[in-house]
């Protein structure tokens, strides 16, 4: 029996093979009659082949030779003492070299003796692997049918294979042997494929199930078959040389095992022994072989798990202890997922699971089981280390049909869960700001920035008490060639956390300071606010650039104000605080934008050098008809005044709202009630019709 034979009934879910009946569990009940009929047909074909050799006397002729018994005994011994290698997912792989001996017997003494020896070898393997008798009979029948096909090729060639002496006959015989080996291999693989289709309850037209076996296994079986004629010639010359064949057999087995281990390592994470990204993709393909035809394919769920605060473990206890924590996480993850699911480590502290789950409810149950498995602390270096994480869920085919799309959507859900502080989050298309369309828009926006096609407009800010213009806010404006004007919020959302964001900030700083210089030359001295993102506040580059541009254009620093969104204060404030304080020391005022939409602590307001708080337009718009919004606005104004901050209300669109804000004590307002944002060269003309500060 040639090839590699895995111990255990169930297959490695992330390593599908072509029709491997040996790896499959029990066939579904409705398929068992078909599988039994298939096995019966194979047994009958094998019996016919054996009967023909008995009738013709070929069997009796073979057993009279001592060399036959030597080869037969070595075949059984070889399978009884077969070499063991480590297979995929850690399961043993047994290498059975008996095919070399049985094929040599086929070449020397015909079909009957070969079938009989192979049947005994199959029984030995089945006994060693504790397989049922029916499985052993089916395997022996598969080998018998393959041998019958090979014998047919030999019969078309030479009847006296080993008695040729001239070059022409030798070449013809060599071609017959190679052809017989090829037919044997093809026939055997087709038989395995047929058994596999029945065992997996797959439709015959499902050609994607017929994936090729690994190259190393094909080469191993081919090497066994092509060693057989060498063994046959050796037995024909002298049986004393026959045992020497174990040396090349061992070398072939060794190379096959190393190839199998390399194939395994290509699909396995070496630290946790879970699947890696390649193994996860193989599992996805196995569970959804008809990914392009969702109606004919079962659904599945992909869960992406990212650990919280893993970096702190590495920094505090060292990377070796961090690796031990990852191993513990891998063990718990493996124990939490069902048998038909596959757990993987993608790298770092990121893990994933694919499971044949069709509904979001069931996927959430699996995510909750994983969270519960992680709940018990891990003891490392005498410390109890808690394991928490964020899990993102994506379903196929609802959230995508291919591996890359489903994984990307699970990744989006996972990061959203991390941002919100939730343990579990399912993918929602409306939360995905990284669609191909948005990426294309980002590319177009980058090009527009480089070509100078993005403009800055300025919206006035008006003192509510005196009605005077006290400043402007610089706002991005870009008209896409085909999509028309793109809202600034959408631009900043897709550019955030990309290099384009830094390009935007640099462009805004350069243009705003240059515009201030032009206004000063025209006799206008008004403050201008510009927006910066969270990544801009990491490092002092923005402080350096702003200081250089102010000095170059001879613009006073107090005429520039930097707006920081409240969400920045929920990030790592220790890293951002130094930059914010650097801007304040340079004389630039700091405004806290979108106040009320984030989760900042009051201590941030007290510790940061803020000059202004801007109430988000969502609260301002509701002040006239929503009592809760009115209370929030009044409370914010009172808090800001107590801390000495100026208060600006965004999105003021009618006089009634402006009057309510004035009564609440708000200082400044901006919105369409006063003017939309306008180009910089239109500001001076607009100011000619509106009062300016004294």
């Amino acid at each position: 029996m040639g090839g590699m034979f895995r111990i255990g009934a169930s297959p490695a879910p992330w390593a599908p093979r072509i029709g491997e009946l040996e790896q499959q569990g029990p066939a579904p009940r409705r398929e068992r009659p078909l599988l039994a009929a298939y096995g019966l047909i194979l047994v009958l074909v094998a019996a016919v082949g054996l009967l023909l050799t008995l009738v013709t006397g070929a069997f009796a002729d073979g057993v009279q030779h001592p060399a036959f018994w030597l080869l037969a005994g070595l075949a059984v011994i070889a399978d009884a003492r077969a070499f063991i290698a480590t297979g995929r997912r850690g399961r043993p792989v047994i290498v059975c070299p008996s095919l070399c001996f049985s094929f040599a017997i086929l070449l020397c003494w015909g079909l009957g003796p070969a079938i009989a020896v192979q049947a005994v070898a199959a029984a030995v393997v089945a006994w060693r692997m504790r397989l049922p008798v029916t499985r052993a009979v089916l395997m022996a029948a598969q080998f018998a049918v393959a041998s019958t096909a090979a014998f047919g090729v030999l019969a078309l060639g030479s009847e006296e294979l080993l008695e040729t002496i001239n070059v022409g006959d030798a070449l013809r015989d060599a071609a017959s042997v190679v052809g017989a080996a090829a037919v044997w291999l093809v026939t055997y693989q087709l038989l395995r494929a047929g058994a596999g289709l029945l065992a997996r309850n797959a439709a015959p037209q499902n050609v994607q199930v017929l994936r090729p076996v690994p190259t190393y296994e094909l080469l191993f079986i081919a090497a066994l078959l092509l060693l057989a004629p060498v063994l046959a010639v050796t037995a024909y010359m002298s049986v004393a040389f026959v045992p020497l064949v174990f040396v090349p057999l061992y070398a072939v087995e060794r190379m096959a095992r190393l190839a199998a281990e390399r194939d395994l390592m290509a699909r396995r994470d070496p630290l946790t022994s879970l699947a890696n990204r390649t193994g996860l993709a193989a599992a996805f393909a196995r569970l959804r072989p008809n990914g392009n035809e969702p109606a004919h394919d079962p659904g599945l769920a992909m869960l992406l798990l990212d650990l919280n605060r893993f970096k702190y473990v590495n920094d505090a206890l060292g990377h070796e202890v961090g690796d031990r924590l990852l191993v513990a996480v891998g063990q718990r993850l493996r124990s939490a997922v069902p048998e038909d699911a596959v757990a993987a480590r993608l790298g770092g502290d990121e893990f994933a699971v694919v499971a044949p789950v069709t509904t979001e409810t069931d996927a959430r149950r699996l995510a909750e089981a994983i969270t519960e498995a992680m709940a018990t602390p891990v003891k490392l270096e005498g410390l109890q280390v808690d394991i928490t994480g964020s899990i993102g869920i994506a379903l196929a085919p609802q959230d995508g049909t291919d591996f890359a799309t489903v994984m990307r959507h699970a990744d989006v859900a996972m990061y959203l869960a991390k941002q919100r502080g939730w343990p579990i989050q399912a993918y929602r298309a409306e939360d995905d700001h990284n669609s191909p369309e948005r990426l294309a828009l980002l590319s177009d926006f980058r090009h527009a920035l480089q070509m100078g096609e993005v403009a800055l407009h300025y919206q006035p800010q008006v003192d509510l008490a005196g009605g005077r213009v006290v400043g402007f806010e610089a706002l991005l404006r870009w008209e896409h060639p085909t999509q028309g004007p793109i809202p600034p919020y959408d631009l900043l959302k897709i550019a955030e956390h990309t290099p384009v964001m830094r390009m935007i900030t640099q462009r805004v700083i350069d243009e705003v300071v240059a515009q201030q210089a032009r206004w000063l030359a025209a006799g206008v001295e008004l403050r201008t606010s510009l927006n910066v993102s969270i990544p801009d506040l990491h490092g002092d580059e923005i402080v350096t650039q702003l200081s250089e541009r102010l000095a170059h254009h001879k613009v006073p620093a107090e005429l520039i104000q930097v707006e920081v969104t409240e969400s920045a204060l929920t990030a790592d404030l220790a890293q951002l605080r130094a930059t914010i304080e650097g801007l304040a020391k340079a004389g630039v005022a700091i405004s806290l934008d979108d106040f009320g939409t984030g989760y900042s602590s009051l201590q941030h307001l007290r510790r940061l050098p803020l000059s202004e708080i801007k109430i988000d337009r969502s609260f301002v718009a509701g002040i006239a008809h929503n009592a809760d919004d009115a209370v929030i606005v009044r409370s914010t104004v009172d808090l800001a005044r107590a801390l000495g901050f100026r208060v600006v209300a965004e999105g003021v669109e009618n006089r009634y709202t402006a009057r309510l804000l004035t009564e609440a004590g708000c200082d400044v307002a901006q919105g369409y009630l006063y003017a939309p944002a306008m180009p910089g060269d239109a500001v001076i003309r607009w100011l000619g019709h509106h009062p300016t500060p004294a």
Side-chain angles (χ1 to χ4, degrees):
M1 188 184 147
M4 295 191 175
F5 191 78
R6 277 165 175 70
I7 296 176
S10 61
W14 49 284
R17 302 282 292 280
I18 175 174
E20 284 192 348
L21 181 61
E22 300 96 314
Q23 294 189 45
Q24 306 303 320
R29 290 186 178 274
R30 60 183 176 182
E31 295 297 330
R32 287 179 184 174
L34 291 176
L35 195 58
Y38 170 85
L40 181 60
I41 292 172
L42 293 186
V43 171
L44 289 176
V45 173
V48 170
L50 182 60
L51 183 61
L52 288 175
T53 57
L54 290 173
V55 172
T56 58
F59 188 87
D61 187 45
V63 298
Q64 293 176 1
H65 291 273
F68 165 77
W69 293 106
L70 177 61
L71 292 180
L74 291 177
V76 175
I77 292 173
D79 277 2
R81 304 288 299 174
F83 301 107
I84 302 294
T86 301
R88 294 170 181 171
R89 212 181 187 187
R91 293 177 177 174
V93 174
I94 185 167
V95 179
C96 305
S98 60
L99 174 58
C100 178
F101 297 96
S102 63
F103 198 69
I105 292 174
L106 177 69
L107 298 176
C108 292
W109 296 289
L111 182 60
I115 291 177
V117 170
Q118 193 61 68
V120 175
V124 171
V125 172
W127 170 75
R128 285 205 63 200
M129 300 177 65
R130 296 180 176 85
L131 295 174
V133 175
T134 53
R135 189 69 60 85
V137 171
L138 183 59
M139 290 188 296
Q142 287 176 333
F143 275 86
V145 173
S147 298
T148 302
F151 186 72
V153 175
L154 293 174
L156 297 175
S158 173
E159 295 181 359
E160 303 294 339
L161 192 63
L162 299 178
E163 295 181 4
T164 57
I165 56 176
N166 61 72
V167 175
D169 290 342
L171 292 176
R172 181 193 62 192
D173 293 342
S176 296
V177 171
V178 172
V183 169
W184 193 103
L185 182 58
V186 171
T187 303
Y188 179 61
Q189 297 299 339
L190 290 175
L191 293 174
R192 292 168 66 184
L197 285 172
L198 294 176
R200 295 182 190 189
N201 193 22
Q205 66 269 21
N206 186 359
V207 295
Q208 294 197 37
V209 173
L210 301 177
R211 299 178 183 135
V213 296
T215 303
Y216 68 81
E217 183 174 349
L218 289 175
L219 291 176
F220 180 71
I221 298 176
L224 291 176
L225 291 169
L226 296 180
L227 271 176
V230 177
L231 181 59
V233 172
T234 303
Y236 180 78
M237 295 175 57
S238 174
V239 295
F241 293 107
V242 171
L244 297 180
V245 78
F246 276 99
V247 175
L249 275 179
Y250 175 78
V252 171
E253 178 275 334
R254 180 69 177 170
M255 287 186 291
R257 183 168 62 181
L258 291 175
E261 291 174 355
R262 285 196 299 269
D263 182 75
L264 173 66
M265 295 310 296
R267 297 167 175 263
R268 173 186 287 180
D269 172 56
L271 178 63
T272 62
S273 295
L274 299 176
N276 58 12
R277 186 180 295 269
T278 302
L280 192 71
F284 184 95
R286 183 187 70 84
L287 292 171
R288 301 200 73 247
N290 289 329
N292 294 327
E293 300 180 15
H296 300 91
D297 238 348
L300 61 77
M302 180 174 292
L303 284 67
L304 215 59
L305 165 67
D306 188 81
L307 302 183
N308 296 330
R309 298 181 297 277
F310 176 73
K311 182 178 182 297
Y312 298 151
V313 176
N314 272 343
D315 293 344
L317 303 178
H319 289 275
E320 183 178 349
V321 177
D323 287 347
R324 286 163 51 193
L325 177 61
L326 293 175
V327 171
V329 171
Q331 293 171 346
R332 295 187 181 188
L333 189 62
R334 188 187 291 110
S335 66
V337 302
E339 281 292 326
D340 53 359
V342 178
R345 176 178 174 240
L346 305 180
D349 60 343
E350 195 170 57
F351 295 80
V353 173
V354 291
V357 172
T358 58
T359 66
E360 181 179 322
T361 300
D362 291 337
R364 284 185 176 274
R365 288 197 188 101
L366 179 56
E368 290 167 359
I370 293 172
T371 302
E372 185 177 349
M374 303 295 172
T376 305
V378 177
K379 190 171 184 179
L380 298 171
E381 300 295 306
L383 299 175
Q384 298 286 338
V385 179
D386 290 314
I387 305 175
T388 61
S390 301
I391 299 177
I393 299 173
L395 300 174
Q398 299 96 309
D399 301 326
T401 57
D402 61 279
F403 175 76
T405 301
V406 176
M407 171 166 278
R408 185 177 69 81
H409 289 167
D411 193 55
V412 169
M414 183 269 291
Y415 275 106
L416 185 60
K418 192 172 285 289
Q419 289 175 3
R420 294 175 174 175
W422 296 351
I424 301 169
Q425 171 66 49
Y427 174 77
R428 299 286 184 270
E430 58 269 22
D431 296 327
D432 189 357
H433 303 292
N434 300 294
S435 64
E437 293 78 11
R438 287 180 176 268
L439 292 178
L441 186 64
L442 177 63
S443 177
D444 293 342
F445 184 53
R446 179 198 293 268
H447 178 73
L449 274 173
Q450 294 170 341
M451 300 301 294
E453 298 172 356
V454 178
L456 280 178
H457 286 192
Y458 300 85
Q459 187 171 40
Q461 296 176 334
V462 177
D463 176 66
L464 284 169
R468 300 174 303 170
V469 178
V470 295
F472 290 88
E473 180 183 2
L475 300 171
L476 282 174
R477 292 293 183 267
W478 176 49
E479 185 165 346
H480 190 273
T482 60
Q483 300 182 35
I486 305 297
Y489 176 82
D490 292 345
L491 292 179
L492 297 177
K493 196 67 178 178
I494 64 172
E496 194 175 17
H497 305 301
T498 72
V500 176
M501 194 69 233
R502 180 162 294 183
M503 295 172 58
I504 294 174
T505 302
Q506 292 173 348
R507 171 75 180 276
V508 168
I509 289 175
D510 289 345
E511 290 209 9
V512 165
V513 177
Q515 183 62 62
Q516 275 286 7
R518 291 192 290 271
W519 287 342
L520 283 174
V524 176
E525 190 172 341
L526 293 170
R527 180 185 68 250
T528 302
S529 298
L530 58 91
N531 295 273
V532 298
S533 67
I534 296 175
D536 293 324
L537 299 176
H538 289 273
D540 59 356
E541 182 178 348
I542 186 175
V543 180
T544 302
Q545 182 191 3
L546 193 51
S547 299
E548 289 177 352
R549 303 316 296 165
L550 290 172
H552 175 76
H553 290 285
K554 297 181 175 56
V555 173
E558 58 267 20
L559 293 182
I560 298 295
Q561 180 170 266
V562 169
E563 294 189 6
V564 179
T565 61
E566 188 184 12
S567 59
L569 305 187
T570 63
D572 190 348
L573 188 60
Q575 296 184 14
L576 308 184
R577 185 174 179 178
T579 303
I580 293 175
E581 290 179 346
L583 289 170
K585 289 179 181 178
V588 175
I590 308 297
S591 172
L592 186 62
D593 195 12
D594 299 333
F595 187 78
T597 61
Y599 305 95
S600 59
S601 170
L602 293 179
Q603 66 175 340
H604 296 153
L605 304 180
R606 181 171 55 87
R607 294 180 179 179
L608 291 175
L610 301 176
S611 301
E612 175 183 282
I613 288 179
K614 298 186 73 174
I615 303 175
D616 187 70
R617 65 180 63 247
S618 61
F619 299 111
V620 174
I623 190 175
H625 53 78
N626 188 301
D628 292 336
D629 287 345
V631 170
I632 291 174
V633 169
R634 292 192 186 95
S635 300
T636 301
V637 171
D638 292 341
L639 174 64
R641 284 187 172 277
L643 294 173
F645 302 148
R646 180 174 56 250
V647 183
V648 178
E650 296 182 297
V652 180
E653 298 186 357
N654 55 73
R655 296 190 180 279
Y656 181 59
T657 299
R659 182 165 64 82
L660 292 177
L661 290 169
T662 303
E663 293 173 355
C666 186
D667 300 301
V668 178
Q670 73 178 81
Y672 283 102
L673 172 64
Y674 306 102
M678 65 194 77
D681 56 5
V683 167
I684 295 178
R685 293 194 302 272
W686 181 84
L687 286 174
H689 303 284
H690 292 77
T692 57

